[in-house]
């Protein structure tokens, strides 16, 4: 079974330099970042492919990308920590949510 998410994200990040500075390409990359967050290796590839191009962006767009990447990496770290806790998933997940200040503002999708 082919993992189409991985195939598509990898295809997009190969063109990250062109896409990141384009209005619609930027949107595609942001959507790909959301998908890559679910895959540890893919998120690392995504970061490695996009970071070199951030300096070509306007400061406000660059700042947004830095925030998006940091947020995705942090989200993945939390997910990994919860998985490592194993059997404590019910209570552990609630405590992790409380420690991060709840879910305020996340996942709105209005990028």
């Amino acid at each position: 079974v082919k993992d189409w998410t991985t195939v598509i994200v990898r295809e997009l990040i190969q063109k990250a330099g062109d896409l990141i500075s384009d209005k619609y390409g930027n949107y595609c990359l942001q959507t790909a970042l959301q998908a890559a967050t679910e895959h540890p290796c893919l998120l690392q590839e995504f970061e490695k492919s996009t970071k070199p191009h951030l300096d070509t962006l306007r400061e406000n767009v660059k700042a947004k990308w830095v925030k998006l990447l940091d947020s995705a990496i942090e989200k993945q770290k939390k997910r990994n920590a919860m998985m490592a806790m194993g059997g404590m998933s019910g209570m552990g997940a609630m405590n992790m949510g409380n420690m991060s200040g709840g879910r305020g503002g996340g996942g709105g999708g209005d990028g």
Side-chain angles (χ1 to χ4, degrees), residues 35-109:
T37 305
E38 306 295 322
H39 301 76
C41 293
L42 201 53
L43 183 56
Q44 289 175 353
E45 290 177 41
F46 193 99
E47 183 182 27
K48 198 170 16 174
S49 298
T50 53
K51 273 205 169 179
H53 304 289
L54 296 183
D55 286 333
T56 66
L57 302 173
R58 294 188 321 266
E59 282 304 313
N60 61 328
V61 179
K62 178 182 175 179
K64 181 175 183 174
W65 267 105
V66 168
K67 186 176 178 181
L68 287 170
L69 287 168
D70 288 348
S71 176
I73 291 165
E74 191 60 36
K75 185 176 182 181
Q76 192 175 77
K77 283 180 185 175
K78 285 181 183 177
R79 182 178 293 121
N80 292 345
M82 285 173 53
M83 289 177 76
M85 290 172 23
M88 296 179 59
S89 60
M91 198 53 130
M94 283 178 30
N95 290 339
M96 290 294 284
N98 291 340
M99 287 178 9
S100 66
R103 298 199 43 89

